Amino acid sequence: MEKFPLKGSREAAAEGNSYITAYQTVMKKSNGHTSGAGAEGEGDANYHDHPLATHSKLTTSLTAAATDDEDMIDITPRSSPGDVIGGGGGSSSGGYHRETATESDTERDFAHAGNHHNQRTMHHHHHQHVPTHSAFGDPMDGALSFYGSSDVQDDIPGIGQYEDFHTIDWQRDIARDRMRHRYIVKKRQDSVWDLIKGSIDAGSGWLCVLLVGIAAGCVAGMVDIGASWMSDLKHGICPPAFWFNREQCCYPAKQSVFEEGNCSTWKTWPEIFGLSRNGTGPYIISYIWYVLWALLFASLSASLVRMFAPYACGSGIPEIKTILSGFIIRGYLGKWTLLIKSVGLMLSVSAGLTLGKEGPMVHIASCIGNIFSHVFPKYGRNEAKKREILSAAAAAGVSVAFGAPIGGVLFSLEEVSYYFPLKTLWRSFFCALIAAFVLRSLTPFGNEHSVLFFVEYNKPWIFFELIPFVFLGIMGGVIGTFFIKANLWWCRYRKFSKLGQYPVMEVLFVTLVTGIICYPNPFTRMNMNELIFLLVSKCSPGDVTNPLCDYKRMNITMGNSVIEVTEPGPGIYSSIWLLMLTFILKLALTIFTFGMKVPAGLFIPSLLLGAIMGRIVGIGVEQFAYSYPNIWFFTGECADSNLITPGLYAVVGAAAVLGGVTRMTVSLVVIMFELTGGVRYIVPLMAAAMASKWVGDALGRQGIYDAHIALNGYPFLDSKEEFAHTTLAADVMQPKRNETLNVITQDSMTVDDVENLLKETEHNGYPVVVSRENQYLVGFVLRRDLNLAIGNAKRLIEGISSSSIVLFTSTTPTQNLGPQPLKLKKILDMAPITVTDQTPMETVVDMFRKLGLRQTLVTHNGRLLGVITKKDVLRHVKQMDNEDPNTVLFN
């Protein structure tokens, strides 16, 4: 490449990306370096000179190729009769005209071109004297419009967008954003207004996440308040003010969950009908009302989901992970999904089903992020940039679900996000902070702490206790893996049997069974959040109502100090049996509930199962210490008072099971200590989380979310897994060695040929080669863009017929006797990512993961051999792992 003198080229070179050659050729053309034919390779010589850089030369005749150029038809709508040859440069994404970096300051600003939408007057002049632009619209459009320019989107509406259920091209979208940004930075020096516009553009990301955080906090507050009110509605009502839940109604009395006796303002349903509060008759009436309310809420939730937003069911985290990895699911993050998910979540939690509202909060927040990103074209029009806002929104979702802003950021980083640059980390942090702050000011948790299960104890733990903590971790891994396998088995059965055709009936049946089984046991009857709170809280000496605190307290003398020890009373033993029953019921019900067609989260049921297990183990360890206080590892530790806190074991057990189900580690520990406020217990939590992850990974590789992604066949390339096989790109590419490859030639196919190719094949894009015999690669063109461009040209340009030659070059064939050729160089991607046929597959898989590719082209000695798409890579990975490759559904 020869050196070129103008400043913009250095910027381009500094980019250091794969588009550099395209930049250089384009800039050379726009600078008027018109080399001889073939000097720089194909198509370079045949360009117009830059309109103003070559003003002095215009008196002499234009090159032959340039005159040929004007005899061809461009597919761009013209802006006004004055601009007969150049396509207008106005942009829909903010109304700017993108110049090349090499235009000098003296050149005029084409601001007037912004209104070329309205004036689609088609002109076709043979010898226009002074061309205002090159024949392809802007001087830069030649090679890069497909990547960088938003003009092409205007010229042909819809170019640069994606179809439903397709993978995005991260590289192209990021390059488009860079060009847009470069243009805005360059324009800043022009006027104060441009400077202001530039500043607004720079701050739009922070403004967007601020709005997302505020909205997420408000929605979460409404969901929390609504769910707690409707949950209490199953038990009774507050006649003085029916919109109060039981806690607000009985606020002055301050009574706990187990005693309803001393709160006269709260009326149970039997009392509303004039009966007493206790007794057989009232019990039966309460039972019936409990089940009826549950059925009503569940049927409403399932019907709303079925009628208005089928995407609102489930937790949504598997799909959010897939969307953030660069997949398009239209409507999954839309307005209806947001509305129905919020309302349906309140209803399904209030129905008493074993599900949480914490997972769906991530989906709700992501919907809010998606809706707000459309307010800012920088994010709404660019799928790769939109993913930055969605990552921040996911963090806000966890932040409002648990009151754990830092845990939310780490959850987004560890579990859901795919592409997480540092800038997104800061924005996620800010978004989670705002969301938690807004939620705190609404205080749906009702107490003075903005967290779900605040623990008051702060006793130190002794070293010996690490053994039971690690044991809890191992059990958490085992239970988590059992749950994943059982739930997947049931979901697969539901998917491929008749059951899947009756979603509402299934919800009603599960609700009925849940209501009938759960009412008799006081632990299963109460709200799951309240039960977890009971399990993790410690027993104070005066606590008589909580059956878990039925201890006999006595003082014994050891040496010269008096110690208060506790002996379990009968209430403890009956509670342990009830808790074991609760554990079995909740585990079974969660397996059947998760995956039903109602909004359903998995965090709270997992935490509950772990808290039950932990509390039982904690009581056991406590009794062991009570029975053998003089064993060597207790000596000296138990000098001051009884040291074992069963509530701490419940916290550690909860973390262990949640870790076993979701396979989170860092974010889990942070969420748990933010949730309980127990910073002192980070080491026990870490020990349990690690043990549970190791055991879970040993028993089954996937967490619940990855398992559901695989079940639904989403194209998700997990960046955490290694590819350990020794295959080559040639083994994976399509077509195989003896099949034919569908290609488009650069200058010998007619419109008819291209349309037939589009009809006969299903591919998402086609390589463009020099000719059938000479398959050297020119570029890559997308199916969607081809369809749009041909349709647009037929509609708007006279003289285009089915026998017009389709051209992807700047040259014209010498004998052009037929109808006008159709020039599509604009939509050609001239810098497709290529590998050779001998490239190891692990490198290819890494490229797909880290660059976010849609496809890569395989060449041999510069000739095209085949294509590898993301779907081919996923199928190959499955095949190598001895799984069924046909489970990958989308491309």
Side-chain angles (χ1 to χ4, degrees):
M1 287 285 178
E2 58 188 81
K3 289 182 182 149
F4 30 101
L6 289 148
K7 56 179 181 182
S9 50
R10 281 190 214 97
E11 283 173 40
E15 271 311 313
N17 58 22
S18 58
Y19 315 119
I20 184 159
T21 46
Y23 265 123
Q24 291 171 336
T25 52
V26 170
M27 279 162 186
K28 205 172 291 124
K29 294 160 193 166
S30 58
N31 288 336
H33 291 269
T34 314
S35 43
E40 281 289 339
E42 299 197 53
D44 266 23
N46 315 304
Y47 234 86
H48 268 328
D49 293 336
H50 191 281
L52 293 162
T54 59
H55 199 42
S56 56
K57 298 186 205 166
L58 278 172
T59 44
T60 64
S61 65
L62 295 162
T63 58
T67 14
D68 281 349
D69 244 2
E70 288 165 356
D71 290 336
M72 284 192 257
I73 285 198
D74 189 6
I75 52 168
T76 43
R78 304 284 176 245
S79 55
S80 65
D83 278 355
V84 268
I85 293 196
S91 149
S92 51
S93 63
Y96 61 82
H97 157 77
R98 198 209 8 58
E99 303 163 30
T100 61
T102 54
E103 280 178 59
S104 66
D105 295 333
T106 51
E107 287 168 20
R108 60 178 138 145
D109 188 0
F110 293 104
H112 68 273
N115 47 14
H116 76 280
H117 274 298
N118 317 335
Q119 305 161 332
R120 300 194 172 235
T121 43
M122 288 298 115
H123 284 271
H124 169 58
H125 283 241
H126 278 278
H127 296 287
Q128 183 65 25
H129 197 57
V130 183
T132 43
H133 296 205
S134 83
F136 303 106
D138 272 86
M140 246 187 133
D141 278 357
L144 257 179
S145 56
F146 188 53
Y147 273 85
S149 122
S150 41
D151 302 4
V152 184
Q153 292 177 39
D154 286 352
D155 301 339
I156 307 162
I159 284 207
Q161 301 300 311
Y162 300 95
E163 301 280 350
D164 201 0
F165 294 118
H166 277 64
T167 307
I168 71 169
D169 191 334
W170 288 85
Q171 293 300 307
R172 182 180 79 170
D173 284 0
I174 290 169
R176 268 175 50 204
D177 185 68
R178 277 202 205 109
M179 294 213 28
R180 194 194 60 80
H181 178 68
R182 214 171 282 128
Y183 166 78
I184 286 174
V185 169
K186 185 174 173 299
K187 285 285 281 183
R188 272 185 188 170
Q189 290 110 32
D190 294 1
S191 68
V192 180
W193 174 235
D194 282 320
L195 185 67
I196 294 168
K197 278 203 298 194
S199 311
I200 292 171
D201 181 77
S204 62
W206 291 101
L207 182 60
C208 189
V209 293
L210 172 75
L211 295 173
V212 171
I214 293 171
C218 295
V219 172
M222 288 191 298
V223 170
D224 280 342
I225 293 164
S228 70
W229 179 74
M230 287 197 286
S231 297
D232 288 342
L233 197 59
K234 297 204 299 283
H235 301 285
I237 199 165
C238 189
F242 71 89
W243 56 89
F244 277 2
N245 62 13
R246 180 163 62 190
E247 189 186 357
Q248 290 161 323
C249 197
C250 301
Y251 189 70
K254 279 278 192 194
Q255 105 290 357
S256 84
V257 194
F258 270 102
E259 42 174 348
E260 292 178 339
N262 64 359
C263 172
S264 52
T265 38
W266 176 261
K267 299 275 185 259
T268 59
W269 290 112
E271 286 178 292
I272 300 284
F273 295 120
L275 295 165
S276 68
R277 190 169 271 203
N278 301 316
T280 315
Y283 181 82
I284 293 170
I285 289 180
S286 302
Y287 203 150
I288 292 169
W289 272 97
Y290 179 91
V291 175
L292 284 179
W293 276 114
L295 283 171
L296 174 71
F297 291 149
S299 60
L300 263 176
S301 177
S303 309
L304 284 172
V305 167
R306 182 166 188 178
M307 286 190 289
F308 297 106
Y311 280 149
C313 65
S315 87
I317 294 179
E319 283 82 3
I320 301 286
K321 274 187 85 159
T322 312
I323 287 172
L324 284 175
S325 79
F327 189 59
I328 305 271
I329 308 179
R330 296 238 177 276
Y332 199 83
L333 300 177
K335 300 183 286 293
W336 276 105
T337 311
L338 170 65
L339 180 67
I340 300 298
K341 186 105 181 184
S342 314
V343 176
L345 189 56
M346 289 190 253
L347 290 164
S348 56
V349 169
S350 322
L353 290 163
T354 40
L355 43 86
K357 58 180 184 300
E358 278 57 29
M361 282 290 184
V362 176
H363 186 183
I364 288 174
S366 299
C367 289
I368 294 170
N370 181 50
I371 289 164
F372 275 112
S373 73
H374 285 290
V375 178
F376 303 90
K378 171 178 173 181
Y379 294 102
R381 300 225 169 149
N382 192 320
E383 293 292 344
K385 294 292 284 178
K386 188 190 286 178
R387 304 271 177 297
E388 293 177 15
I389 301 292
L390 295 183
S391 290
V398 176
S399 167
V400 292
F402 293 115
I406 302 175
V409 175
L410 288 172
F411 176 78
S412 179
L413 170 64
E414 181 184 7
E415 195 58 32
V416 272
S417 295
Y418 198 79
Y419 168 72
F420 203 82
L422 205 55
K423 169 173 65 177
T424 307
L425 180 73
W426 301 328
R427 284 197 187 139
S428 304
F429 184 73
F430 178 64
C431 193
L433 158 84
I434 295 292
F437 174 74
V438 170
L439 186 67
R440 177 75 186 81
S441 52
L442 299 172
T443 58
F445 298 128
N447 55 6
E448 54 274 22
H449 308 292
S450 66
V451 292
L452 221 43
F453 321 114
F454 191 78
V455 293
E456 286 91 359
Y457 41 85
N458 57 356
K459 289 182 185 170
W461 50 279
I462 50 180
F463 188 72
F464 151 76
E465 287 183 279
L466 272 180
I467 297 170
F469 290 151
V470 170
F471 168 73
L472 281 176
I474 293 170
M475 287 305 296
V478 171
I479 290 167
T481 310
F482 170 74
F483 171 78
I484 292 170
K485 291 209 173 359
N487 179 254
L488 269 191
W489 170 81
W490 179 246
C491 285
R492 208 169 275 125
Y493 173 76
R494 176 194 291 125
K495 197 170 178 178
F496 298 116
S497 70
K498 280 277 180 66
L499 181 65
Q501 298 162 17
Y502 306 105
V504 180
M505 292 309 295
E506 183 196 2
V507 171
L508 289 179
F509 181 72
V510 173
T511 311
L512 184 67
V513 172
T514 307
I516 291 171
I517 292 177
C518 288
Y519 189 81
N521 180 344
F523 286 124
T524 49
R525 183 189 321 165
M526 68 171 75
N527 204 338
M528 279 197 279
N529 291 9
E530 290 169 351
L531 178 53
I532 297 176
F533 185 70
L534 263 186
L535 292 166
V536 301
S537 50
K538 71 169 186 181
C539 292
S540 49
D543 199 349
V544 285
T545 56
N546 183 349
L548 287 170
C549 293
D550 182 15
Y551 288 103
K552 299 190 188 109
R553 297 176 183 274
M554 47 190 171
N555 295 338
I556 56 168
T557 314
M558 270 182 75
N560 53 3
S561 60
V562 177
I563 307 177
E564 182 192 51
V565 294
T566 52
E567 188 188 347
I572 293 278
Y573 292 115
S574 64
S575 291
I576 286 183
W577 285 111
L578 278 178
L579 279 177
M580 286 181 173
L581 185 66
T582 305
F583 181 84
I584 294 165
L585 287 181
K586 288 288 182 190
L587 181 60
L589 287 170
T590 313
I591 288 169
F592 291 111
T593 307
F594 188 70
M596 284 196 317
K597 297 295 179 236
V598 287
L602 201 56
F603 281 118
I604 293 291
S606 311
L607 289 173
L608 175 64
L609 292 172
I612 294 173
M613 175 180 76
R615 186 77 187 205
I616 294 172
V617 171
I619 293 172
V621 175
E622 186 184 41
Q623 287 323 299
F624 178 69
Y626 160 72
S627 309
Y628 306 104
N630 296 325
I631 295 182
W632 59 271
F633 43 71
F634 288 134
T635 346
E637 299 277 10
C638 292
D640 49 354
S641 71
N642 196 20
L643 209 89
I644 310 287
T645 318
L648 170 59
Y649 286 80
V651 173
V652 173
V657 173
L658 184 55
V661 171
T662 60
R663 306 293 153 85
M664 301 191 296
T665 49
V666 186
S667 50
L668 172 72
V669 171
V670 176
I671 286 174
M672 286 310 292
F673 82 73
E674 280 191 282
L675 201 58
T676 54
V679 185
R680 178 170 242 171
Y681 306 120
I682 289 181
V683 173
L685 285 171
M686 285 170 80
M690 256 351 284
S692 119
K693 176 152 176 69
W694 281 336
V695 172
D697 283 350
L699 295 175
R701 234 180 26 197
Q702 294 175 311
I704 186 78
Y705 300 132
D706 293 331
H708 274 267
I709 286 174
L711 178 73
N712 292 328
Y714 296 131
F716 180 74
L717 254 182
D718 197 352
S719 45
K720 297 189 190 86
E721 289 181 11
E722 297 289 317
F723 181 81
H725 310 287
T726 54
T727 44
L728 299 176
D731 306 331
V732 182
M733 69 177 196
Q734 298 292 343
K736 295 287 175 254
R737 291 281 185 194
N738 48 2
E739 298 164 20
T740 54
L741 171 63
N742 293 306
V743 292
I744 296 177
T745 57
Q746 64 175 359
D747 54 9
S748 60
M749 285 173 79
T750 62
V751 172
D752 218 12
D753 297 338
V754 175
E755 284 183 325
N756 285 337
L757 180 66
L758 290 171
K759 276 195 204 101
E760 287 158 16
T761 55
E762 298 279 307
H763 307 304
N764 283 330
Y766 301 90
V768 177
V769 294
V770 178
S771 66
R772 289 257 178 231
E773 306 72 45
N774 186 2
Q775 297 218 339
Y776 284 107
L777 185 63
V778 177
F780 190 81
V781 64
L782 289 181
R783 176 193 195 88
R784 178 188 163 96
D785 293 352
L786 262 181
N787 274 323
L788 286 166
I790 291 176
N792 196 59
K794 282 185 161 176
R795 213 173 50 249
L796 298 173
I797 302 170
E798 297 163 27
I800 292 289
S801 70
S802 54
S803 55
S804 297
I805 297 279
V806 178
L807 284 185
F808 288 97
T809 60
S810 323
T811 52
T812 329
T814 40
Q815 286 98 22
N816 181 26
L817 307 171
Q820 292 298 345
L822 169 62
K823 291 174 42 182
L824 295 184
K825 183 161 181 189
K826 268 198 147 169
I827 61 167
L828 180 66
D829 169 9
M830 295 186 67
I833 298 210
T834 57
V835 295
T836 67
D837 54 340
Q838 295 302 306
T839 310
M841 260 325 274
E842 51 189 321
T843 310
V844 176
V845 172
D846 260 359
M847 286 169 70
F848 272 91
R849 276 185 196 145
K850 291 176 180 152
L851 298 177
L853 306 182
R854 283 184 82 165
Q855 72 278 314
T856 176
L857 304 177
V858 185
T859 59
H860 175 71
N861 295 346
R863 287 168 192 254
L864 181 69
L865 281 186
V867 183
I868 299 179
T869 64
K870 191 170 182 179
K871 194 172 181 178
D872 298 329
V873 173
L874 285 159
R875 282 186 167 154
H876 181 66
V877 171
K878 288 227 181 252
Q879 222 166 348
M880 286 288 153
D881 296 340
N882 296 321
E883 293 169 33
D884 176 18
N886 294 323
T887 50
V888 184
L889 301 181
F890 306 106
N891 40 12

